[in-house]
Amino acid sequence: MGEDPRQTLEVDVLFVGGGPANLAGALRLTQLVARHNEQVSTGERPGRMLEPRIALIEKGRDVGAHALSGAIFDPVALEELLPDYQDRGFPFVQPLIRHDFRYLTTESSIRIPDCLLPWARRHGRCYLGSLQKLNLWLGEQVEAAGVSVFTETCGVDILYDGARVCGVHTGDKGLEAGGGKKPNFEPGTAIHAKLTVFGEGPYGTLSEDLIHRFNLRDGCSPQSYALGVKELIRVGRTGAPGVAIHTIGYPLGPRVFGGGFCYGLDDHHFAVGMVCGLDWDDPQLDVQAQLQRLKKHPDIQRFIKGGTVVAYGAKTLPEGGYFAVPRLVVDGAMLVGDSAGFVNVPAGKGIHYAMKSGMLAAETIYEALVEEDTSAARLAVYETRVADSYIMRDLYRGRHFRQAFAYGRLPGLLLGELTAWTGWGPRKPRRARCDFQTLRSLGEARSKRWTREPAQYDAGVMVDKLTDLSYSGTQHREDQPSHIRILDPVRCVNHCIPRFGDAPCIHFCPANVYELIGEGQSRRIQINFANCLHCKTCVIKDPIDVLATDHIQNISWRAPAEGGPRYQGL
């Protein structure tokens, strides 16, 4: 047998994913180590000096390339992490000046007074900006602090020593579609770590592997998700910097949880987006098309009319809330940020919760390094810290908000806002179905769905899905192995389409990855994997469960070693 060409890298702490949770965690860890060494050197505390090797891997072409959020940013965690952040070139320069919450009808709207909004929807001292720019800036702070940051490096498998996590394998690059090696082939690396922190975002490939291997969701509600699509629109006239509008109602039907937003980022740019809970029942619901309908509404048109789309992206976000947070530690590993489900759904915020979770993880990691103990028992203090922080306090206060909308929009508004106002609710959650279990046949859904006009497109601000995709910067080699597989293609045609009256995947994917081609017996689903935005909607919403015990639907998605979107300003 030939030798394995895979290289090895030994580190003490490995952060998997370059999002705000891991960036804040890595930076906080360097601060704690520096303070520790200073105290040891001056005799303030006994012990040895620490010189941990800290690494962070990010699958995007740069830190922030795959990052997307609204984003209304609460700086509470950043102020704790970097009190002098304004002097370091902090990229969010536009404060939130005015926030409107509106119920849209087809042609008009009703503004909901601030006095009727619960605590979660009242945004205090916040900024409007781009998560991609925030992550890029945080990455610079992390590298300056001495952390080794490896971009275009994707973890594809978790390394184990028995039941202990001891690092990750990164993917091979330069492979042909059939698995052969191109002349520029680069074998992956086995990164061995005493402690590995998984912060890959929602439904992270390795995070989910870890959760299911160790049954970390036992006793929890199923995690539920939403799909958000967002465009950056440039206008020629002076805009409305600092204005944020959130909407419910049109164009969504009464059984779809979600809404739209429009943020004035500066004098010439607006962020406009649509977010829909993935528990919808309509097999033809298309969130990108819903965004185009939203942009036709007069309340949005007055800001973006005559503008041009300059960037587009899509992302899922966890909405299960308090009852869906899994256990957070195993021997040698921890979960942070969206991978753990730290999103406050009533407030529509998650960035500062992600950062705070990374910082709390760093405090626990520092203590584990001092004591040379990375067992789950030692790391369990991280779960205690999270439980005692504003992360779980806020999630607890809004714990029933999302579930209330399972009864429809009007009951959801009444019950959800009541629980958000009062904190009242049953101690245990209503048992929720997984998102892939909620689709109905087209006939059943049509009788209950909102009557909607076809989406319309033009050469400027109203764009179709493929045009939007061209603004995402996504790039995969056409001749690389596909990171998406349909495990049983026959069931797509013989089971899924007859059952639902259409192929749901061609509608729920925000990037035209799935395409129904052919006629009669030759009809099949074609996978255009090069379009993929890595949102992972398909593996969450795919309604065919081939084997109920493997946590994988008929669509299998594994993070590719190469390629993906390259968001700018999203």
Side-chain angles (χ1 to χ4, degrees), residues 103 249-250 252-256 405 407-414 450:
Y103 186 96
Y250 179 86
L252 300 180
R255 296 182 61 83
V256 180
F405 283 82
Y407 301 103
R409 181 188 296 148
L410 182 58
L413 284 171
L414 296 175
W450 190 263

Side-chain angles (χ1 to χ4, degrees), residues 230-234 270 272 308-313 468 470-473 566-570:
K230 176 183 175 182
E231 294 172 349
L232 186 64
I233 297 175
R234 182 174 59 232
F270 288 91
V272 184
T308 304
V309 177
V310 295
Y312 170 74
D468 249 345
S470 69
Y471 299 125
S472 69
R566 193 173 195 179
Y567 296 142
Q568 300 293 316
L570 293 179

Side-chain angles (χ1 to χ4, degrees), residues 484-525:
I484 304 170
R485 290 191 304 127
I486 295 179
L487 303 182
D488 188 348
V490 174
R491 292 192 66 180
C492 293
V493 176
N494 294 344
H495 174 71
C496 189
I497 294 177
R499 178 182 174 187
F500 297 108
D502 202 342
C505 59
I506 68 175
H507 300 284
F508 62 56
C509 175
N512 269 31
V513 169
Y514 303 93
E515 184 179 359
L516 184 62
I517 63 173
E519 298 290 341
Q521 296 297 319
S522 64
R523 191 166 56 163
R524 63 184 178 87
I525 300 292

Side-chain angles (χ1 to χ4, degrees), residues 91 202 210 217 290 341 345 361 402 438 468 516:
L210 188 78
R217 285 204 180 101
Q290 297 287 57
V345 178
R402 177 64 180 88
T438 59
D468 249 345
L516 184 62

